[in-house]
Amino acid sequence: MHYGYIGLGNLGANCAASLRRAGMDVTVTDLNKAAAAGVLDLGCAWADTAEDVAAKVDHVITCLPSPAISEHVLDRILPVMRKGSHWIEMSTLGRDEMHALAKKAAAYDVRAMELPVTGGVHLAAQGKITMLAGGDKDMFDLHLPALQAMGDQVFHMGPLGSAAIIKVITNMLAFIHLKACGEALMLAKRGGLDLGQAWHAIKASSGNSFVHETEGALVLNGSYDVAFNIDLALKDLGFAMGFGREFEVPLDLAAATAQTYIAARAAYGGEAQSPMIVKLLEDLLETDLRADGFPARLS
C-alpha cells in the first residue's frame, strides 16, 4: 500500500512518520518543505505539489488546518487520483462539510473516509493517538493496518459523518475540562496550597481528567504550549454549538466556555495556545499559577 500524505503540521508529520516506521511507502508534501525534514529522514518520498502526490500513490491522506483548505486541496487532487482510490481526511471538518466533499470525490470515482483524531500531538508522536473513523466498513477494514500504525486505539464510529460528531464531542469536553481545571488550580493557589502538591492530589482524585494531567501541567509550567491554538478551539466549539441547535440539546457549559475563548482571543490573539484561557483568570486576579517540575511540552 502506497499512501500519499498532504499536510505536515504538528499532527500530520507525526502520523506520516508512524506510517513509515510501520514499513509503508509514503509520499508527502507540504507548503513548507522544511516541515518534511523528519519524515524524509525516515525514508518518506517528497513530491513538490499535492497533484504530484495524488498521481503517484494508491490512496491519499490529508491533514489540513481548515475546511476551506481541505476543499481547495481536494479540488486539485481529484482529477489525478486513481479511479476507485480512497481519500482519507484527518482534518476536523463539520459533518455537512464532510458529506459535501465526499460527494465531490464520488464524481471522480474516489471514495471518502473521515479520520479525525484525539489525544494530543504528543501521543501522535508516539503512534498512540486515538483514531475516530467514519465511512464504509470495507474501507475501514482495508486501511486498518495504517490506522493501527498511527494510533493505538481505533474506533469505527459508523457511516460518514459519525466521526465528525464524536470528534466535536471529545473536543468540547476537553475545552470545558480546561476551563474547570484553571478554576480549580486558582482555588488551590488562592487557598494557600502548594500548587504542585494540589495538582498531584487532584490527579489521584475523583476530580481528575486527561486535560488536568496534560494541559494542567503546561499551565503550571507557564508555557501553555499544547500545539493547539485558540482559533482552532473556537472552530470546534462552533461545530458543537451547531450540533446542539440541530439535535435540540442545550449546551450551557459549552456556551460559557466558548465565551471564555472569545475573551482569550481578544486578549492574546487567535494564534495563542488554547490553555491560555487560564491566563485570563491569572491576569484578572493578578495571580500566576506556577509550580516547579512541570514540563514545557508534553512528551
Side-chain angles (χ1 to χ4, degrees):
M1 194 82 77
H2 186 176
Y3 286 99
Y5 207 107
I6 301 172
L8 301 173
N10 290 320
L11 175 64
N14 285 313
C15 290
S18 292
L19 290 174
R20 183 61 195 147
R21 289 191 189 100
M24 297 178 189
D25 292 328
V26 185
T27 298
V28 302
T29 197
D30 191 273
L31 290 177
N32 175 21
K33 189 173 182 179
V39 297
L40 297 182
D41 288 344
L42 291 173
C44 289
W46 171 260
D48 288 330
T49 68
E51 292 90 336
D52 289 342
V53 170
K56 294 175 179 176
V57 302
D58 298 316
H59 307 287
V60 176
I61 303 171
T62 54
C63 189
L64 301 162
S66 75
I69 294 174
S70 291
E71 183 171 13
H72 173 70
V73 170
L74 186 65
D75 286 341
R76 289 169 52 191
I77 65 176
L78 282 174
V80 297
M81 288 181 69
R82 298 177 184 178
K83 302 298 183 185
S85 64
H86 300 159
W87 167 52
I88 302 171
E89 172 62 297
M90 292 187 67
S91 315
T92 299
L93 268 60
R95 181 198 52 189
D96 295 343
E97 291 166 329
M98 191 66 224
H99 281 148
L101 295 184
K103 186 175 180 180
K104 275 193 174 189
Y108 287 87
D109 194 19
V110 172
R111 296 168 68 194
M113 184 172 81
E114 57 181 341
L115 188 64
V117 299
T118 186
V121 172
H122 66 295
L123 292 181
Q126 301 170 36
K128 293 181 179 180
I129 202 161
T130 297
M131 318 218 82
L132 307 168
D136 295 338
K137 184 63 163 53
D138 67 305
M139 291 180 67
F140 174 80
D141 291 340
L142 177 67
H143 297 292
L144 185 58
L147 274 56
Q148 290 172 329
M150 293 186 284
D152 68 342
Q153 295 195 71
V154 181
F155 298 92
H156 181 236
M157 298 305 303
L160 199 70
S162 303
I165 297 174
I166 191 62
K167 173 60 188 295
V168 165
I169 290 170
T170 62
N171 278 11
M172 178 189 75
L173 284 168
F175 305 140
I176 291 170
H177 290 169
L178 178 59
K179 180 175 171 64
C181 175
E183 293 177 1
L185 291 173
M186 186 59 75
L187 275 177
K189 175 71 173 184
R190 303 272 283 198
L193 303 184
D194 176 281
L195 269 185
Q197 193 76 335
W199 182 89
H200 286 289
I202 293 169
K203 181 182 176 183
S205 78
S206 59
N208 189 36
S209 69
F210 177 83
V211 170
H212 172 76
E213 292 188 18
T214 55
E215 297 183 41
L218 300 177
V219 169
L220 293 181
N221 173 273
S223 77
Y224 308 96
D225 189 1
V226 74
F228 192 88
N229 68 34
I230 288 172
D231 277 343
L232 291 174
L234 280 168
K235 179 190 75 170
D236 290 348
L237 283 166
F239 286 142
M241 300 307 293
F243 284 137
R245 290 188 294 272
E246 180 180 350
F247 305 147
E248 298 183 339
V249 177
L251 300 176
D252 295 342
L253 292 176
T257 302
Q259 290 302 308
T260 302
Y261 272 99
I262 290 169
R265 181 170 62 185
Y268 313 120
E271 291 297 319
Q273 294 292 308
S274 172
M276 287 186 71
I277 65 165
V278 179
K279 193 174 188 304
L280 281 176
L281 191 57
E282 294 178 88
D283 291 348
L284 175 66
L285 299 179
E286 298 182 345
T287 304
D288 290 338
L289 299 174
R290 301 292 173 266
D292 294 333
F294 289 88
R297 293 292 299 266
L298 300 173
S299 61

